[in-house]
Amino acid sequence: MQVSKHVHALKIPFSIKIDKEKTINRFVYCFIIFGSKIHLIDTGVASSEDLIFKYIHQMGRDPKDISTITLTHSHPDHIGGVKAIKDFSECIVISHNNEKDWIENIEKQFAERPVPGFFSLVGGSVAIDKTVDNGDDIDLEDGLRLNVIHTPGHSEGSISLVLENEDVLFSGDVIPLPGDMPIYDDPLVLIESIKKLQRLKNRSILLSSWDEPRTGKSVDNVISEAIQHLQLLHKSVVEAVCNKSAIDPIIISKIVLEKMGLPLVMANIPLVVKSLSSSIRYI
């Protein structure tokens, strides 16, 4: 799907096997910037390269022209296809320095952040060729430049990107959707990151990895709703903890999920429990 002069959005479905009986169907977007060369924002899960290459061919281009991959962060549904694409195209891979270790050593990432089906989602470890930080520019080629915004909270080195002259904001997983699984490292840090994006002037198109492309007033609405949702999640955890004599993260999570109208089965997902429990540090 073309969303601006140079940018196309590609929706990639995948599934996560929680146990023998439970599978969660998910999707993630990767974004393709077509210039004289081709530039990717994230790569989806392992085997996503097949969909990416197919789409590039449909646009009359050659995947060998992929010049750069910029990763919004290191989680498996964003880095899964990097190894295969880099091996094929010999492109440059870019990320924030705080995500570098987990991209270059996926075994370390799994040890520190185990998720179901991790190794089926990631094609392998990949060397980072260039690291960036807040305020940096990534000169993709003449006329195509990305502005880097450090937006931690979902992960320590999460970055958002603005494509100059087209007012396109790539937000990775920084802007959560109410009703979706709460996955973050720190809700208050994440809220401040989202407010940073809220203050941007050049964001008429919002491209989030978890959501359909947004334009116009819908961009403002999604950002405001995300802030309110995180504030309510944080407040609900604090209230649940303060009303209990003992702090059991799973029980607290169930209380919060029920209050928020989210499926209680999410309390069986360690990352969700860990995310909600991150509010406890503020009590």
Side-chain angles (χ1 to χ4, degrees):
M1 175 199 327
Q2 186 168 1
V3 295
S4 72
K5 180 180 179 180
H6 292 96
V7 181
H8 293 237
L10 181 60
K11 188 175 185 177
I12 298 172
F14 67 98
S15 59
I16 302 173
K17 195 170 184 62
I18 302 300
D19 53 40
K20 292 182 179 180
E21 299 180 353
K22 182 65 176 176
T23 297
I24 295 179
N25 294 318
R26 302 282 292 170
F27 71 84
V28 68
Y29 272 97
C30 81
F31 303 100
I32 308 170
I33 302 174
F34 289 102
S36 61
K37 293 290 188 177
I38 299 171
H39 311 275
L40 303 182
I41 309 295
D42 293 334
T43 65
V45 297
S47 79
S48 295
E49 63 273 7
D50 296 335
L51 292 175
I52 294 170
F53 291 171
K54 180 180 179 180
Y55 187 88
I56 290 172
H57 280 303
Q58 288 173 344
M59 294 300 105
R61 300 292 298 271
D62 186 344
K64 284 284 188 184
D65 286 337
I66 296 174
S67 176
T68 65
I69 299 172
T70 303
L71 298 169
T72 60
H73 60 295
S74 60
H75 293 165
D77 52 332
H78 296 259
I79 70 166
V82 176
K83 186 178 189 307
I85 295 171
K86 182 173 184 177
D87 287 348
F88 179 80
S89 66
E90 299 182 349
C91 62
I92 292 171
V93 180
I94 304 166
S95 79
H96 191 278
N97 189 61
N98 290 344
E99 304 291 301
K100 187 173 184 285
D101 283 353
W102 277 9
I103 299 168
E104 295 189 334
N105 187 343
I106 61 170
E107 287 79 12
K108 179 179 181 182
Q109 178 175 174
F110 180 72
E112 296 177 353
R113 187 182 183 267
V115 298
F118 179 88
F119 290 103
S120 68
L121 300 175
V122 184
S125 302
V126 178
I128 295 299
D129 301 296
K130 178 180 179 180
T131 59
V132 292
D133 203 348
N134 188 65
D136 289 343
D137 290 330
I138 303 172
D139 290 309
L140 301 176
E141 59 181 75
D142 287 346
L144 290 175
R145 176 183 295 171
L146 292 169
N147 309 136
V148 178
I149 307 165
H150 184 208
T151 45
H154 178 74
S155 70
E156 187 178 355
S158 284
I159 56 173
S160 299
L161 305 155
V162 174
L163 181 62
E164 282 188 3
N165 303 321
E166 295 190 25
D167 288 356
V168 177
L169 169 61
F170 304 92
S171 62
D173 287 350
V174 170
I175 302 174
L177 289 176
D180 205 349
M181 280 195 295
I183 303 292
Y184 47 78
D185 285 348
D186 187 308
L188 299 191
V189 171
L190 185 54
I191 287 170
E192 290 307 308
S193 289
I194 299 172
K195 287 181 177 179
K196 192 185 298 186
L197 301 182
Q198 189 177 43
R199 292 191 292 269
L200 291 175
K201 302 300 181 184
N202 51 341
R203 52 170 180 77
S204 60
I205 300 173
L206 173 63
L207 299 180
S208 169
S209 301
W210 284 353
D211 193 16
E212 309 300 330
R214 302 277 183 161
T215 60
K217 186 65 176 176
S218 177
V219 176
D220 295 326
N221 293 340
V222 167
I223 292 174
S224 296
E225 289 168 3
I227 293 171
Q228 294 169 9
H229 178 62
L230 284 167
Q231 289 172 332
L232 186 54
L233 278 171
H234 176 67
K235 179 181 178 183
S236 298
V237 172
V238 172
E239 290 178 348
V241 171
C242 291
N243 290 334
K244 301 292 291 185
S245 57
I247 299 176
D248 182 318
I250 294 178
I251 293 176
I252 295 301
S253 296
K254 287 181 177 180
I255 292 171
V256 173
L257 291 170
E258 184 174 19
K259 179 177 180 179
M260 298 291 293
L262 296 170
L264 291 182
V265 69
M266 289 184 183
N268 298 328
I269 303 173
L271 273 182
V272 171
V273 175
K274 182 179 179 182
S275 299
L276 294 173
S277 298
S278 65
S279 287
I280 295 174
R281 74 190 69 177
Y282 292 103
I283 297 174

